[in-house]
Amino acid sequence: MSISGAPESTSVTTPDDFPAQYDPAATEAAIYARWQEAGAFTADASRSSRIGGDRDPYGILMPPPNVTAILHVGHGLNSTVQDVLIRWARMKGLEALWLPGMDHAGIATQNVVEKQLATEGLTRNDLGREKFIERTAAFVAETGGVILQQLKAIGASADWSRTAYTFSPDLSVSVREAFVRLYERGLIYRGHRVIHWCPRCLTSLSDEEAEGQETTGALYHISYPLADDPSQSITVATTRPETMLGDVAVAVNAADERYQAMIGKDVLLPILDLRIPIIADDYADPEFGTGVVKITPAHDANDFEVGRRHDLPMPVVIDAYGIMNEDADAAGRVPQALRGVDRFLARERVVEMLEAAGRLVKKEAHHHSVRHCYRCDTVVEPRLSDQWFVRMAPLAEPALEAVRAGRVRLLPEKWVGVYEHWMTNIRDWNISRQIWWGHRVPVWYCKECDPPQNVIASREDLTACPYCGCDVVQDEDVLDTWFSSSLWPMSTLGWPNEHSTDLRAFYPSDVLVTAPEILFFWVARMIMMGYAFMGDAPFHSVYLHGTARDTQGRKMSKSLGNGIDPMDVVHLYGADALRYTLIAGMGMGADVLLDPNDLDKSFATGRNFATKLWNIGRFLLMNVGSDAVRPFDDIADSELNRADRWILDRLDAAIRECDRAIGPVHPDGATWRDEERASGLRLNEFAETARRFVWNELADWYVEANKARLLTVGDDQQVARAVLVHVFDQALRLLHPIVPFVSEALWQRLPGHVDGTFIATSSWPVVREASSTDARAAQFDVIKEIVEAMRRIRAEYAIAPGKSIEAFVVATPALRQMLEEESALLGRMARTTLTPIDSAPEGGGANVVVFLGNTELIVPLAGLIDVAKECEKLKTELANLEKQLTSLEARLENEGFIARAPAAVVEGERAKRDEWKTRRELLRTRFEGLCGKA
């Protein structure tokens, strides 16, 4: 018995309203407007199960971009991840809230406005504080929020009705409440200590805002002569010789025998010839450098602590502008030649003075980390000043325990160790900034009252002292922007009003999506504030995604000129192309590599997929036709053929894999079990599963297998149409979180679509209950394997597509029956004459044998190809490969090569060897099947 078939032609009628090409520009804005008009993204707090509703809540808080920010690819990546999660949760039937907003961005916004003033020949001081704040507020009102409109263009489905702003009246109430509560608990205090100071922004910075940058500078070795015996000296090394004018001591370790006899003596400070003491302190490390350190308490944080321990004076010799000047405690310490000189020029002059005095022992190159302002990149200056601080250790304790106990998980898990290290070594947070734009410190001073009543922290503005009635003056400083941002998960939901419906319905939220660079700036502080004020962490998962980098591995930035404007991508290829490219390219915590010089190449993956999906949908729906389609739920199990059962089985598998990849819904108050901590949020796997299903399994196999059924009028045609529409509907739902626009455009065209409904608010696919279809679905896998094998053989041996191939299958009675029933399908898809046989024939012959599970596919090639010529070709190719492999293995056995060659080269050669060995085995198998044993 033979089973054969020929390819069949199809005719398709294209309706006028189904364009041949997908046009994002004509589609996306209109769809987004319809979503907004329908309130598709608006969360209903009353439906949250936490306050008696019928849905479990799911919340994501948008990391608030700066109010003056313009969308860059980092924002695009971050927002796309959040949007994928919130769309998925919304479709899962959760009451999903993605709360958007903006940050007033104190230093950043003030810098922008000050630059504008500079073009007018003005400074903020020319305007005065109130006028400057008015000017900045007007600038924000006019230009702020552009980024939120841009986020809409890339499909962000945030609840825009709840858009928050860190400087709004409501959130300002939250900021004051938090400050006053912490002050009343003794966790905020005014401190006199060395902080990081930006001479450009003229403000203090926190440890995290003063970012270390590796640089190669110089290390200067300077000799300090003993005051009473100049023939002896002690040598110190410093990278900042200009600060020596503020030296008040040199320190050695009491256990360092080299200097024990000198402890208590004085040295002369070079240039100034001031007597300063040699002190003993454990800060001096005998193993580092000369074992001697200069102590400059006003210009180094560690020296400040030494100065406090030894009650040393603290003269300031560098002013707020980074200029060499004296304060009252430093009278006479800055020579006339250095007064008014910039700190870096002063460094050169101090070195020249030391050389002239014979006190510069040596100068050597030195690689070290130098802190820069995170906003303007100016080298920061350690500076002694009065600042407001938050006492962090008590706040850090529950936040650290939350991660260790599994109440909060950090993904990727490599960040857990970094988080723990930072939290266990946390320093008090400097929260005051010497700028004007921001939340002013809510503290007033009374000159008439004695401490502590002379300092009043108040929730309301004060005009008089509450104790004596006298005039009061408010503190001039503003709060660090990150202070208000740390309250974001609560303040945006109505805190401190604990009766707020939103707060009760949506706190805590679920997933925070952000970049690892602000793990400490923001994430850790939000967790701390959550426990401090709500008694609970603000979220259960923190997803720290990778960074967008160029093809050289550099982070995309404006300064490097290697950035990509997401709006350019949207205009050229559509938002879905941007979104799919970013999601498909980002593994857990992995960076996304893009070429700013070749957008076509960078976003080809997403562009091609959106186009392919449109084409699949168009072809599929054209074949289904415009007539009413029988409801899938009305199809009896007995009406389904093998291909139907197979595609439904594959759909179930895709749903399971997508759910597993994107992650479990975490119950309120639960602790992540060890086996769950790393689960979910693998969005690239989610994207690939959904893509593979619709592209490979649905389009390449199911649609191909059902072309004849779709064109043959009858009951079976109706079954095929029903299954096809159902499966494509479900596939579009799986894809919707990633490519929302094209999926919505196609979903709206499905037969039976009800006007006014959206895929954006439809239900997420669910796996069918177990049925008896699995066995017959597996039979379609056998058909698929036979077709794939036949196509592979054609390709390997260059057999013309139109040439018929005879093949044999070793078949059991059940398999024989299945092959007979599917003869037309096999003939059309494999272009072969297939004969079932009871056992493989004796003798090899010019046959290709393919093992398919428990059976064999045997394809005689005699008459199809020149067997002798093909055997000679394979023999030559094998011989050449053997020769190359022998040479490569000899090189890898050469110890000299292994020792001298770079590790990457060695690994590359080893990979090549493995690849060639695999190729050799493949060639041998082909040779033996076609030509017999060599």
Side-chain angles (χ1 to χ4, degrees), residues 631-870:
F632 175 74
D633 290 343
D634 290 350
I635 303 297
D637 183 76
S638 59
E639 296 181 87
L640 300 174
N641 71 8
R642 291 181 179 87
D644 298 332
R645 297 170 190 275
W646 177 81
I647 196 62
L648 292 171
D649 186 65
R650 298 314 304 151
L651 173 61
D652 285 344
I655 295 169
R656 279 190 291 266
E657 289 180 35
C658 286
D659 280 339
R660 189 161 47 244
I662 204 167
V665 177
H666 195 59
D668 275 358
T671 296
W672 288 101
R673 298 193 301 270
D674 288 344
E675 64 272 19
E676 291 180 326
R677 285 198 187 190
S679 63
L681 298 177
R682 283 165 167 74
L683 302 189
N684 62 320
E685 295 177 13
F686 167 46
E688 172 54 21
T689 296
R691 183 212 64 81
R692 185 180 64 242
F693 174 73
V694 73
W695 191 319
N696 301 127
E697 295 170 339
L698 177 58
D700 289 351
W701 286 102
Y702 183 73
V703 172
E704 186 69 23
N706 280 280
K707 283 182 178 178
R709 290 174 75 199
L710 291 168
L711 294 173
T712 304
V713 177
D715 291 343
D716 194 44
Q717 179 194 47
Q718 296 306 310
V719 173
R721 294 176 72 213
V723 173
L724 190 55
V725 169
H726 168 74
V727 171
F728 191 55
D729 166 276
Q730 300 293 288
L732 290 175
R733 296 183 196 219
L734 290 178
L735 285 165
H736 176 73
I738 304 171
V739 285
F741 292 108
V742 67
S743 59
E744 185 74 80
L746 289 167
W747 197 77
Q748 298 280 331
R749 288 176 162 85
L750 289 177
H753 171 258
V754 178
D755 287 344
T757 61
F758 298 94
I759 193 174
T761 52
S762 67
S763 60
W764 184 252
V766 295
V767 174
R768 298 169 302 152
E769 294 182 4
S771 66
S772 59
T773 63
D774 289 349
R776 297 193 70 190
Q779 289 179 338
F780 187 82
D781 274 317
V782 175
I783 296 170
K784 181 170 173 285
E785 289 175 5
I786 291 172
V787 173
E788 287 173 331
M790 294 304 301
R791 290 174 177 174
R792 190 164 56 248
I793 290 167
R794 280 185 184 275
E796 287 177 357
Y797 293 100
I799 301 171
K803 202 166 190 177
S804 180
I805 300 178
E806 182 181 22
F808 302 89
V809 175
V810 177
T812 62
L815 179 57
R816 183 184 293 265
Q817 180 182 345
M818 186 271 286
L819 293 175
E820 186 174 306
E821 291 172 358
E822 301 290 356
S823 60
L825 176 62
L826 275 164
R828 178 168 58 83
M829 296 188 73
R831 299 174 185 267
T832 186
T833 300
L834 192 65
T835 303
I837 55 178
D838 294 328
S839 60
E842 295 293 329
N847 296 335
V848 174
V849 179
V850 180
F851 294 95
L852 305 174
N854 296 323
T855 190
E856 299 174 50
L857 174 67
I858 303 161
V859 184
L861 293 180
L864 292 173
I865 63 171
D866 186 329
V867 176
K869 184 177 179 181
E870 185 67 22

Side-chain angles (χ1 to χ4, degrees), residues 164-441:
Y165 178 43
T166 55
F167 211 9
S168 69
D170 287 345
L171 270 65
S172 295
V173 169
S174 302
V175 170
R176 282 209 179 176
E177 181 67 29
F179 184 97
V180 173
R181 287 196 194 185
L182 292 173
Y183 181 82
E184 291 172 346
R185 295 179 195 175
L187 295 175
I188 285 183
Y189 65 94
R190 182 80 163 164
H192 184 69
R193 63 201 314 183
V194 170
I195 47 81
H196 304 294
W197 179 268
C198 176
R200 157 63 183 80
C201 298
L202 294 178
T203 182
S204 63
L205 302 170
S206 68
D207 289 343
E208 294 72 40
E209 291 170 321
E211 299 174 335
Q213 295 181 17
E214 293 300 316
T215 186
T216 299
L219 187 64
Y220 304 89
H221 294 255
I222 306 168
S223 68
Y224 289 51
L226 266 63
D228 298 322
D229 184 3
S231 64
Q232 296 187 64
S233 66
I234 196 166
T235 299
V236 300
T238 180
T239 58
R240 303 167 64 224
E242 70 278 9
T243 64
M244 67 181 293
L245 303 176
D247 286 0
V248 295
V250 293
V252 298
N253 195 294
D256 192 337
E257 296 179 356
R258 293 172 295 175
Y259 305 114
Q260 285 176 343
M262 296 183 178
I263 296 172
K265 295 182 178 182
D266 290 344
V267 294
L268 290 177
L269 179 60
I271 299 178
L272 299 179
D273 285 339
L274 289 176
R275 295 178 74 104
I276 58 175
I278 300 173
I279 62 174
D281 194 279
D282 288 342
Y283 173 56
D285 182 359
E287 303 298 322
F288 182 77
T290 63
V292 184
V293 291
K294 58 191 281 299
I295 304 301
T296 320
H299 296 283
D300 183 276
N302 293 314
D303 292 2
F304 172 77
E305 297 299 332
V306 175
R308 286 211 302 188
R309 286 196 291 272
H310 295 269
D311 196 23
L312 298 172
M314 300 186 180
V316 175
V317 296
I318 302 175
D319 69 14
Y321 296 89
I323 303 298
M324 304 302 294
N325 274 312
E326 305 170 341
D327 71 353
D329 295 327
R333 279 183 169 265
V334 180
Q336 192 62 42
L338 296 176
R339 290 181 188 176
V341 176
D342 177 80
R343 54 189 168 150
F344 296 120
L345 179 56
R347 180 177 301 174
E348 297 175 11
R349 292 187 181 177
V350 166
V351 171
E352 291 171 359
M353 296 167 78
L354 289 170
E355 286 179 319
R359 289 300 169 190
L360 184 65
V361 178
K362 65 177 179 177
K363 172 186 173 183
E364 60 185 354
H366 181 60
H367 191 70
H368 62 136
S369 179
V370 176
R371 289 184 182 265
H372 290 242
C373 175
Y374 81 120
R375 283 301 180 195
C376 69
D377 204 39
T378 300
V379 174
V380 302
E381 190 66 34
R383 187 165 187 264
L384 183 63
S385 66
D386 293 318
Q387 303 290 339
W388 287 96
F389 294 88
V390 177
R391 211 178 302 277
M392 298 300 281
L395 297 173
E397 189 175 334
L400 177 59
E401 178 59 22
V403 171
R404 285 176 168 170
R407 290 188 294 277
V408 176
R409 61 174 183 161
L410 305 180
L411 296 173
E413 290 186 298
K414 67 180 181 181
W415 290 106
V416 172
V418 179
Y419 177 89
E420 289 183 343
H421 175 77
W422 189 78
M423 296 293 272
T424 53
N425 294 278
I426 198 166
R427 296 173 59 179
D428 287 354
W429 175 16
N430 168 16
I431 57 169
S432 48
R433 299 292 178 269
Q434 289 65 51
I435 58 175
W436 288 348
W437 178 248
H439 296 280
R440 197 163 172 180
V441 172

Side-chain angles (χ1 to χ4, degrees), residues 14 115 291 424 447 552 554 571 608 700 856 888:
T14 306
K115 287 178 181 177
T424 53
K447 294 182 179 179
Q552 299 178 48
R554 300 176 303 172
H571 293 147
N608 293 344
D700 289 351
E856 299 174 50
L888 179 57

